[in-house]
Amino acid sequence: MSSKPELKGRAARLAQLFPTGPGQAARTPFVLLVVLLLGGGLIGLLVLNSALSEGAFKLDDLQRETKSLTDEEQALQRDIDAYSAPEALQRRARELGMVPGGDPAFLAPDGTVKGVPSPAPGVRQTSAYIPLVLAPEAMPNGPTSTFGR
């Protein structure tokens, strides 16, 4: 007796469509190819997901740094506004010994003086008065600059 029963009619025709014996070995490379493609796809997705996560962490760090730098910029701008306020400028000028100026006089392009100059109030008008800043020619030892030599 044979190990396989004999098929008749329609079953015999259908059995001819399916390969038997050595044809089974042809499926192995196809299955390996499918497994390799699926494994490669999963590894590719894992690498892509890791790269996206790393980019998201970098973006979060940069946004946090931008926020802290913006806060620092705003604090510095508030300091600048406080130092450049008219009241603060006046207070610091008085601390340096400055006084409000008197009536100004203007020079016309032809060299004539327009207006009557007056000294600032509170300025001592004595011969012993020495201004805080001297011109280089008025310094006792002469100019000490080495420019132009």
Side-chain angles (χ1 to χ4, degrees):
M1 280 194 92
S2 88
S3 63
K4 291 186 182 178
E6 266 199 51
L7 301 174
K8 296 181 182 174
R10 184 174 182 193
R13 286 191 307 257
L14 286 175
Q16 290 175 352
L17 295 176
F18 295 109
T20 57
Q24 293 284 28
R27 287 187 185 180
T28 305
F30 176 73
V31 170
L32 286 176
L33 176 67
V34 169
V35 168
L36 287 175
L37 286 175
L38 287 175
L42 287 174
I43 290 173
L45 284 174
L46 179 64
V47 169
L48 181 65
N49 191 18
S50 297
L52 289 175
S53 296
E54 183 180 349
F57 284 125
K58 284 182 183 177
L59 179 65
D60 188 45
D61 290 342
L62 290 174
Q63 286 175 339
R64 191 176 304 117
E65 184 179 355
T66 301
K67 184 182 180 309
S68 70
L69 289 175
T70 302
D71 292 344
E72 183 179 351
E73 177 191 17
Q74 289 174 354
L76 290 173
Q77 187 62 46
R78 280 193 304 271
D79 290 347
I80 289 172
D81 292 343
Y83 283 124
S84 62
E87 298 84 21
L89 289 174
Q90 182 182 18
R91 180 181 43 79
R92 286 198 318 243
R94 289 202 187 276
E95 288 172 359
L96 292 173
M98 299 173 134
V99 293
D103 293 332
F106 299 98
L107 292 177
D110 61 357
T112 59
V113 178
K114 302 230 183 210
V116 178
S118 64
V123 175
R124 293 178 291 182
Q125 298 295 322
T126 64
S127 60
Y129 175 71
I130 300 173
L132 292 176
V133 179
L134 295 175
E137 306 83 39
M139 296 181 79
N141 297 337
T144 59
S145 174
T146 58
F147 293 117
R149 290 186 183 179

